[in-house]
Amino acid sequence: MIIVLRKNADRGQVEHLKDWLKQQSVEIEAIKGSHSTVLGLVGDTSHVDIEMLEALDIVESVKRIQEPYKKANRKFHPNDTIVDVSGVKVGKGSFTLIAGPCSVESEEQICSIAQSVKASGAKILRGGAFKPRTSPYAFQGLRANGLELLSEAKAKTGMPIVTEIMDLSQLPLFENVDLIQVGARNMQNFELLKALGKINKPILLKRGLSATIQELLMSAEYIMAGGNENVILCERGIRTFETATRNTLDLSAIPVLKEKTHLPVIIDPSHATGIAAMVKPMSLAAVAAGADGLIIEVHNDPPHALCDGQQSITPQMFDELSKQVGTLYDTVKEMY
Ligand code: PEP
Ligand code: MN
């Protein structure tokens, strides 16, 4: 971090600032020019509050050189992290398919979809029980009952399950959940992230609708700072001016994240596009761009789905997609 001090900055205040910075365990290299003085901070500056520095009278500007995230940063952890989801390894060396309905609707629905997607190669079953819906009048999910039905599907198929938590108060119900999803709308629910940092379960963190990649990484850092380093990142489309698709899938987030972090990166082409026919092309594109997996909405009767039917593919479509993704992954995996 570089701090440019104002011309004629009060010496006493400058010394005070230096003492304060030393207390934060950073070393200071001062460069005195004829017009102004620059302080170069060396060491871990992730704890240094940049906005506080900028507010000081003696400071003209502050520039961060090092990223404000440490645990998620590849610089400090060059090897790829492989997250173990109850025996399913997510990360470099394998390609993980997560599939299932947007929402758990009934025992029959979740169990039959689970069996189909498992037979087609999915390794983790998805299904929403607590649903973040834009309208309070829309189906809100089967809540605790939905979690029980997911557990039944897990018992029948042996597949680990992933489902979304919307509030800290729901955590006691998530005992049998293998991978806890933090949805796009909660990516910056910092109290939730802090609490999930203290538990011993992997977290699937989805990128917020209007969140930058750095903000996504800072949210991962919240979880990791608490001690839980098992975080999988998910790009699920961001808000842009484009209306032809539900969101705009930011595929470049894959190589950017791969460079900046060691955490696994998966893609959600269902919420990214909002259109069932677009799921396959964007899935293939995600494989080609180096993703570690996909999370896909699959429904046995999309026109009658209680949530997100328009973007849900059928088990037959998933079966075909799974084969094509597998073929493409075998071709590109040595390239990354
Ligand atoms: C979901 O996966 O069901 C979901 C609601 O996703 P997102 O948070 O990405 O909108
Ligand atoms: Mn959905």
Side-chain angles (χ1 to χ4, degrees):
M1 186 179 283
I2 308 262
I3 304 175
V4 181
L5 298 175
R6 280 196 198 283
K7 204 176 167 186
N8 306 323
D10 179 81
R11 275 180 170 224
Q13 280 183 299
V14 173
E15 286 312 310
H16 191 262
L17 171 62
K18 283 185 177 172
D19 288 342
W20 180 77
L21 288 166
K22 281 181 197 152
Q23 282 165 22
Q24 319 242 340
S25 307
V26 287
E27 281 173 41
I28 305 161
E29 299 278 351
I31 306 159
K32 286 197 173 89
S34 49
H35 295 292
S36 58
T37 298
V38 169
L39 302 179
L41 308 191
V42 188
D44 178 12
T45 57
S46 52
H47 292 88
V48 180
D49 186 339
I50 193 163
E51 283 165 17
M52 218 191 85
L53 290 174
E54 279 166 343
L56 296 176
D57 288 344
I58 53 168
V59 171
E60 187 169 294
S61 63
V62 186
K63 186 164 170 47
R64 210 181 252 293
I65 306 294
Q66 183 189 297
E67 296 86 354
Y69 47 92
K70 189 158 186 265
K71 292 194 179 283
N73 200 328
R74 196 184 272 285
K75 273 188 201 146
F76 304 109
H77 190 303
N79 296 332
D80 291 278
T81 286
I82 293 171
V83 175
D84 188 321
V85 182
S86 303
V88 175
K89 305 262 191 287
V90 183
K92 200 175 174 69
S94 52
F95 192 84
T96 309
L97 285 177
I98 305 175
C102 177
S103 311
V104 179
E105 297 173 8
S106 68
E107 184 187 340
E108 205 201 336
Q109 176 244 20
I110 188 69
C111 290
S112 103
I113 296 173
Q115 266 146 3
S116 308
V117 296
K118 184 185 177 187
S120 300
K123 293 284 182 280
I124 301 174
L125 175 67
R126 68 150 287 150
F130 295 96
K131 293 303 306 173
R133 304 303 300 279
T134 303
S135 165
Y137 309 116
F139 175 59
Q140 302 288 305
L142 296 182
R143 305 175 71 82
N145 188 232
L147 291 179
E148 279 168 27
L149 298 180
L150 263 179
S151 285
E152 274 183 43
K154 172 178 170 175
K156 278 194 178 142
T157 59
M159 291 174 96
I161 50 178
V162 55
T163 193
E164 177 168 353
I165 189 166
M166 282 174 60
D167 189 81
L168 211 44
S169 61
Q170 296 156 358
L171 192 54
L173 297 170
F174 280 61
E175 197 117 324
N176 195 32
V177 173
D178 302 276
L179 174 62
I180 300 182
Q181 175 172 322
V182 174
R185 291 151 191 86
N186 264 316
M187 189 204 83
Q188 286 189 317
N189 182 339
F190 300 120
E191 290 302 314
L192 180 61
L193 300 177
K194 278 192 243 177
L196 296 176
K198 300 211 176 74
I199 66 168
N200 197 16
K201 273 187 198 289
I203 308 297
L204 175 62
L205 178 65
K206 298 187 92 175
R207 181 178 180 182
L209 280 74
S210 305
T212 63
I213 290 173
Q214 175 148 317
E215 284 163 343
L216 171 64
L217 289 169
M218 290 306 287
S219 292
E221 189 78 10
Y222 258 94
I223 300 168
M224 299 172 88
N228 185 357
E229 306 209 348
N230 293 309
V231 180
I232 301 167
L233 302 171
C234 179
E235 156 62 33
R236 45 77 72 207
I238 48 173
R239 278 275 166 92
T240 68
F241 52 82
E242 183 54 71
T243 54
T245 47
R246 183 175 179 181
N247 292 291
T248 297
L249 180 57
D250 180 10
L251 276 178
S252 57
I254 303 169
V256 173
L257 285 167
K258 289 278 162 192
E259 187 191 287
K260 294 190 178 298
T261 183
H262 50 91
L263 297 173
V265 179
I266 69 164
I267 292 291
D268 175 347
S270 308
H271 291 92
T273 62
I275 302 164
M278 309 277 163
V279 169
K280 186 174 102 175
M282 297 325 285
S283 295
L284 295 171
V287 177
D292 297 303
L294 294 164
I295 179 165
I296 295 179
E297 287 189 341
V298 178
H299 199 282
N300 47 349
D301 184 10
H304 295 105
L306 295 181
C307 184
D308 286 349
Q310 70 291 353
Q311 68 193 34
S312 300
I313 61 171
T314 61
Q316 293 73 26
M317 289 163 82
F318 180 74
D319 190 61
E320 187 188 298
L321 179 148
S322 173
K323 290 191 184 108
Q324 291 167 330
V325 157
T327 307
L328 184 59
Y329 177 69
D330 286 341
T331 310
V332 301
K333 67 181 173 197
E334 303 302 336
M335 299 175 190
Y336 289 102

